[in-house]
Amino acid sequence: MKNILEIKDLSYQVGDNKILKHINLQVESGQYLTFIGPSGSGKSTLMRIVASMLTATSGDVVFDGKSIKDYEPTKYRQRVSYAFQQPTLFGKTVKDNLEFPFLVRNQEYDQKKAISALEMVNLDESYINKSVNDISGGEKQRIALLRNLLFRPEILITDEVTTGLDTENKEIVHQMLEKFNKEDQMTILRVTHDESEIEHAAHKITIKDGEMI
Amino acid sequence: MSNNLTVSNTTLVWGFGLVLVALVIGYREKLGINKDVLIGVARAIVQLSIVGYILKFVIKTDDNWLTMACFVIIVINASWNAGKRGNGIPKAFRNSLLAISVGTVVTLGTLVLTGSIKFVPEQIVPVTGMIASNIMVAIGLCYRNMLQTFTDREQQVLEKLALGADIKLASIDILRDSIKSGMQPTIDSIKTLGLVSLPGMMSGLIFAGVDPVKAIKYQIMVTFMLLASTGLGSIISCYLGYREFYNQQKQLNSKLLQ
């Protein structure tokens, strides 16, 4: 398998506070990596740098053979998609959220594609016109994830997306991510504190005090 | 035009008694505003006296270059004040200068070209002041709203960027709200024109003895003028200003947020 992502001697600091120290990592296409470590160890910062939401103080991130610096940021983020821990939904309805990835790509909204995406996370067609205020936290997280997945990214970064979800919602998210990883060879970088997720993870990477151990 | 204007230095001194009302209220209620009231009154007297003599000279001289110089000074001063209200937004003065210049030139140019006003100092200078000050207030509101909504909706903006949205798409709701906030006071005041307020331009003309019907026509023109100018100023300052919330990598500049 070829390396889809390489993190080369990456460091990040704010003032004198060194948050990440000389991180090196190679990620193969189709890998499902789980990043673990105590809170404040730098996992989310590392993921945000890989997602081009932050810029490293030194070092480089190479995606698909090219430095992250050489990509147009919006095009890069469409290929390397970052999902937040506690997402907010946009606009008034679920449709506003599923329409957003089409808007980003200047494409006409495809209702059929949006409905089949909803079905992937066990939500039926009736959800499309539901108000974002009338859905549960678990449904909100599943819909937010669909915004990342409607157009398949090559790398999906999930930053504690199952935190606060009940067992049923967690299972739905797990199954969906497993499916994309196995069937579409989507590379997944997952940050988690969830014990069951950590226990079942095939490839674990521990970050502690800004260092990879 | 009959002239019934009877304000003299003596009547002004008597009028100063009204300032004492404010001072007594401030003193009795322990509001701690008396120093500010006195400084404000002193500044108003000095500033207006200087402006009065300058305007008298400009109008008497009736020179196009001098009129243009007044225009430039008003625009720069308004831009400087609008820029200060940017509260840390980079290039706030430069962007305000562009917004106020365009808003004032377009509006004033339209009024002159359509013959609504003449290119004479007694008309150009006060109308420039009216336009520039209204745009200045509108830009101040736009900046304040933009800072507040970028702060309130930071998470949403970050999520949009993470999904690959361009900075304009990530900020479009904030842009719309900020432009609206700049124009809203003008729109609100228009709704109550004549019912609640008899605005300055119209009141001034009526005071000076102009037929109220004619004064109303001028006020309608001023209304159109302020709508256009605050609209132009708001849209230009917001479209230039929102970019400052991002860096070259299209990442949100969190340091700017409150």
Side-chain angles (χ1 to χ4, degrees), chain A:
Chain A
M1 277 285 185
K2 67 161 191 166
N3 284 336
I4 192 167
L5 190 80
E6 279 181 77
I7 299 172
K8 293 180 172 176
D9 195 27
L10 187 142
S11 297
Y12 182 77
Q13 67 182 77
V14 178
D16 293 334
N17 185 14
K18 290 180 180 170
I19 294 164
L20 291 172
K21 300 163 197 165
H22 307 287
I23 303 280
N24 286 286
L25 179 69
Q26 296 189 335
V27 182
E28 288 178 5
S29 182
Q31 266 193 313
Y32 196 149
L33 295 182
T34 302
F35 290 79
I36 57 174
S39 293
S41 57
K43 304 180 299 292
S44 290
T45 306
L46 178 64
M47 293 301 113
R48 287 189 183 210
I49 291 171
V50 172
S52 113
M53 301 297 289
L54 285 174
T55 303
T57 313
S58 64
D60 202 4
V61 175
V62 176
F63 168 68
D64 201 14
K66 226 164 75 171
S67 166
I68 192 172
K69 296 166 201 154
D70 298 329
Y71 284 95
E72 204 285 317
T74 60
K75 298 281 177 260
Y76 176 83
R77 290 171 195 150
Q78 288 168 29
R79 296 176 68 186
V80 179
S81 197
Y82 181 94
F84 287 78
Q85 182 184 350
Q86 283 176 321
T88 52
L89 291 187
F90 312 148
K92 289 176 182 159
T93 63
V94 170
K95 186 189 166 204
D96 292 334
N97 288 273
L98 300 180
E99 204 172 19
F100 196 77
F102 292 92
L103 275 175
V104 164
R105 291 161 180 82
N106 286 318
Q107 287 187 23
E108 205 173 317
Y109 171 62
D110 183 346
Q111 177 102 331
K112 275 186 190 165
K113 192 172 179 172
I115 290 169
S116 63
L118 278 174
E119 285 163 358
M120 264 181 346
V121 289
N122 290 8
L123 298 173
D124 62 44
E125 195 178 336
S126 68
Y127 273 80
I128 208 96
N129 292 317
K130 272 200 179 177
S131 162
V132 292
N133 299 319
D134 294 340
I135 54 176
S136 71
E139 289 166 343
K140 218 175 244 186
Q141 182 59 280
R142 278 140 68 185
I143 289 160
L145 264 174
L146 290 181
R147 298 185 305 209
N148 297 84
L149 294 165
L150 257 169
F151 294 84
R152 305 275 187 277
E154 282 147 83
I155 298 179
L156 175 70
I157 301 166
T158 62
D159 194 351
E160 297 187 55
V161 292
T162 54
T163 304
L165 297 189
D166 58 28
T167 319
E168 189 196 341
N169 275 300
K170 266 185 198 170
E171 198 46 44
I172 293 167
V173 171
H174 288 155
Q175 281 176 7
M176 179 175 65
L177 297 183
E178 286 285 343
K179 183 175 171 287
F180 284 131
N181 178 245
K182 288 200 173 119
E183 291 176 14
D184 297 348
Q185 288 300 299
M186 185 190 289
T187 309
I188 299 177
L189 310 181
R190 167 174 69 178
V191 173
T192 186
H193 285 290
D194 186 283
E195 281 178 18
S196 130
E197 286 178 359
I198 295 170
E199 195 184 318
H200 292 103
H203 298 99
K204 286 173 246 188
I205 291 169
T206 308
I207 309 272
K208 198 178 172 192
D209 295 330
E211 287 175 296
M212 222 172 87
I213 52 174

